Amino acid sequence: MEEKQMEVVPGLAGIPAAESAVSYVDGEKGILEYRGISIETLAEKSTFLEVAYLLLFGKLPAESEYKKFKDDITYHTRLKVKILRMMELLPENGHPMEYLQSVVAAMGMYYPAKDVMNEETRYWSAVRLIAKMPTIVATCERLKSGDAPIQPNNNLSFAANFYYMLFEKVPDALTEKILDAMLILHADHTMNASTFSARVVGSTLADPYTVISSAIGTLSGPLHGGANEEVVHMLKEIGAKENARPSIERMIEKHEKIMGVGHRVYKTKDPRAKCLQSFAHKLFQNTTGKGKILEIAEEVEKVVNDKLASKKLYPNIDFYSGIVLQEIGIPTELFTPIFAMGRVAGWLSHWLEQLKTNKIYRPDQKYTGLHNQEYVPMSERR
Ligand code: ACO
C-alpha cells in the first residue's frame, strides 16, 4: 500500500494553526503585544481585569464597561458549597493543578454552558472562570495545609483578594502590584501548547469548562507551565552564587536542560522575564541577605549567556517568576496555578475567536505502521 508523501514537522514548529488577533510575538526582537499594546506598558499601567477585557473583547474598556465587567467578576468569586465539599474529598497529596483541572471540569455540571453559540452563555462562562479560579487555587492551598478556606473579600482588588484568601491578610501595595502584573504577564502568549489545546477542544463545540480544564491539564507539564517550580528547585540546589558557574557548566556538559531557559519562539531574552527581573529588584531592594536567590539566578543567567547564546537560549518568563512569587510568600506548588489564573483570559479569548470561524481540528498523520497483518490466535502467539 502506498503511503501519502508528506513531511511531518515535529511539534508543529512554525506551522500556523489558526489566524489570531489576540496577541503577537516577535521572537527575534523580544516583543510581546496583547491586541497591539506592549506587554511592558500593560504591566506598568493596566490591571489584570482590564487586560482580560482587552483580550476577550479586542479593545480597552470604557469606564462604564470596565466597571460592569469588574462588578460581574467580583460578584462571582465565591464557590458553591458542593464544590467546596468536593474539594475536601480530593487527596491531600494532589497537586493544585490537578485540583484546578478537576474542579473547573466539575463546574460545567453546575453552570451548564452547552449552548456555546449563545453570547450570554459565553460571557457568563468567561466571567465565572476568571472569577472562580483564584478562589479554587486559594481554597486548595488552605485545605491541603489543614486550614479552613477563607471567603473572598470583594472590597479588595482581584489580586489582593487572592492573597487575602491565601493568608487572611491584605497584601502591601508592592505585593499587590506584583501579583496583578504576574497575571497580566501570563495572560496570553499566541499559539502555545495549552492555547492550542483550548482551541482544539473548543473546535468540537465542547463547553467552556471542558475547554479550560483541558488547557489546564496541558499547562501542567514541566516543559510548559511547570518549569517555574523547577527553576526554584534548581536555584536552591545551587545554593550559592559561586556554585552557579560549575553547576550550570556541569549540567550543560551532561546535556541536561536548564529550567527557565529556552523558548520555541524567543531567540532573545523573553520580555516578560525582563519585567519580572525588574520587579524582583524592587522586591529585594530593601532586604539584606534575602536577595541571595536573585543573585544566584543572575549569575546563572550570565553563565547561560556565555555558554548557550550561540544556541539562542535565554531566560524565559519562568526563570524569574518563581523567584518573585517565592519572595512574596507563595508556596511553590501554586506557581503554575497562578500562571493558569492569568492565562485563562487568553484561553477564553482564543476560544471565542475559534468559535467565530470554527472548523473542527482534524490534522493528518504520516502512517509508519504495518499493513495486511495476520490475526494470530492467542494460543499460538509468542
Ligand atoms: N537548557 C539547555 N539546553 C537547551 C534548553 C535548556 N533549557 N532548551 C533547549 N536546549 C537545547 C536543546 O538541548 C537542543 O540542543 P541540540 O540542538 O544541541 O540538541 C536545542 O537547544 C533546541 O532545543 P529544543 O528542545 O529542540 O527546543 P524547543 O523549541 O523544542 O523547546 C523548550 C523549547 C521546551 C521551552 C525548551 O527550551 C526547554 O525545555 N526549556 C526548559 C523548560 C522551560 O523553561 N519551559 C518553559 C517554557 S516557557 C513557558 O512555557 C511559559
Side-chain angles (χ1 to χ4, degrees), residues 186 219 222-225 227-228 231 252 255-265 267 270 272 308 311 313 316-318 339 343:
H186 284 91
L219 181 66
L223 292 187
H224 194 358
N228 50 12
V231 173
I252 293 171
H255 300 286
E256 283 174 20
K257 278 198 169 170
I258 295 141
M259 286 294 134
V261 168
H263 199 279
R264 177 63 60 78
V265 182
K267 300 304 161 207
D270 183 333
R272 301 165 302 172
L308 296 174
K311 286 190 176 182
L313 294 169
N316 60 49
I317 185 169
D318 287 339
F339 184 155
R343 184 58 57 88

Side-chain angles (χ1 to χ4, degrees), residues 16-42:
E19 285 190 357
S20 180
V22 180
S23 61
Y24 170 81
V25 170
D26 181 330
E28 294 293 332
K29 295 192 183 130
I31 295 171
L32 170 60
E33 292 171 345
Y34 296 163
R35 303 283 188 186
I37 305 179
S38 86
I39 192 71
E40 291 88 347
T41 305
L42 291 170

Side-chain angles (χ1 to χ4, degrees), residues 99-236:
Y99 273 70
L100 191 58
Q101 188 182 10
S102 313
V103 176
V104 165
M107 273 171 71
M109 289 183 267
Y110 293 98
Y111 308 105
K114 301 291 177 210
D115 184 8
V116 292
M117 289 308 177
N118 179 308
E119 212 173 301
E120 288 274 297
T121 308
R122 293 202 299 247
Y123 177 76
W124 289 109
S125 309
V127 162
R128 284 200 173 95
L129 279 157
I130 294 171
K132 291 186 198 300
M133 279 179 48
T135 318
I136 298 168
V137 174
T139 301
C140 163
E141 175 58 24
R142 301 282 303 177
L143 291 173
K144 276 165 64 78
S145 329
D147 294 318
I150 296 167
Q151 289 297 323
N153 179 342
N154 289 337
N155 297 318
L156 299 174
S157 73
F158 189 79
N161 177 47
F162 172 62
Y163 187 93
Y164 175 80
M165 289 188 291
L166 275 178
F167 305 119
E168 215 172 2
K169 61 180 182 195
V170 177
D172 61 50
L174 181 60
T175 302
E176 181 179 1
K177 172 68 195 165
I178 287 177
L179 265 177
D180 196 63
M182 188 70 73
L183 299 176
I184 294 175
L185 294 171
H186 284 91
D188 198 50
H189 206 244
T190 72
M191 198 56 65
N192 54 87
S194 56
T195 300
F196 184 46
S197 210
R199 288 190 84 124
V200 171
V201 179
S203 81
T204 70
L205 303 189
D207 73 77
Y209 300 99
T210 308
V211 169
I212 300 306
S213 145
S214 309
I216 293 168
T218 310
L219 181 66
S220 68
L223 292 187
H224 194 358
N228 50 12
E229 281 190 29
E230 303 288 331
V231 173
V232 171
H233 291 314
M234 177 185 79
L235 296 175
K236 279 184 181 163

Side-chain angles (χ1 to χ4, degrees), residues 295-307:
E295 271 178 23
I296 301 171
E298 289 185 330
E299 190 62 20
V300 167
E301 183 175 348
K302 269 190 207 152
V303 185
V304 165
N305 282 342
D306 291 349
K307 297 281 168 185

Side-chain angles (χ1 to χ4, degrees), residues 320-333:
Y320 285 104
S321 65
I323 299 170
V324 167
L325 287 172
Q326 179 181 258
E327 183 58 17
I328 58 180
I330 304 290
T332 316
E333 275 198 339

Side-chain angles (χ1 to χ4, degrees), residues 22 35 49-59 69 73 122-123 125-127 130 344-353 356:
V22 180
R35 303 283 188 186
L49 290 187
E50 187 181 50
V51 166
Y53 188 102
L54 170 72
L55 290 169
L56 289 166
F57 305 111
K59 66 172 195 87
F69 184 63
I73 298 263
R122 293 202 299 247
Y123 177 76
S125 309
V127 162
I130 294 171
V344 69
W347 292 330
L348 289 163
S349 307
H350 281 267
W351 167 66
L352 293 175
E353 194 177 57
K356 274 193 203 155

